[in-house]
């Protein structure tokens, strides 16, 4: 498999020590299995919960784009503050 990850270096104090990324693995059927993670949060707090919600929404939009060519304009995204 392959991996892609990013270490946060300039962010809010509780987000700075975190790293997020993707592990990619080919299946025997020829598909690519994608596992997303965001780890090393110093506390279980509101920022972690909101970030988790945003990641889920962004990844859903990415899947819809890749599988259906659906584009959601930024201003129409429900998770934008």
């Amino acid at each position: 498999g392959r991996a892609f990850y990013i270490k946060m270096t300039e962010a809010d104090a509780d987000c700075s020590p975190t790293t997020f990324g993707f592990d990619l693995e080919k299946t025997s059927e020829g598909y690519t299995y994608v596992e997303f993670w965001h780890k090393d949060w110093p506390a279980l707090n509101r920022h972690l919960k909101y970030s988790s919600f945003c990641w889920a929404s962004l990844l859903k939009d990415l899947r819809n784009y890749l599988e259906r060519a659906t584009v959601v304009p930024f201003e129409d995204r429900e998770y934008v503050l």
Side-chain angles (χ1 to χ4, degrees), residues 34-53:
V34 179
E35 183 176 354
F36 172 79
W37 45 268
H38 191 169
K39 62 183 184 177
D40 300 328
W41 287 86
L44 230 164
N45 59 24
R46 186 171 180 264
H47 192 177
L48 166 62
K49 292 174 186 178
Y50 183 73
S51 293
S52 296
F53 173 78

Side-chain angles (χ1 to χ4, degrees), residues 70-81:
T70 303
V71 176
V72 179
F74 186 77
E75 61 274 2
D76 293 342
R77 297 177 189 174
E78 295 180 14
Y79 47 89
V80 176
L81 292 177

Side-chain angles (χ1 to χ4, degrees), residues 2 9 13 21 45 51 60 62 71:
R2 297 198 178 242
T9 58
N45 59 24
S51 293
K60 179 179 169 272
L62 175 61
V71 176

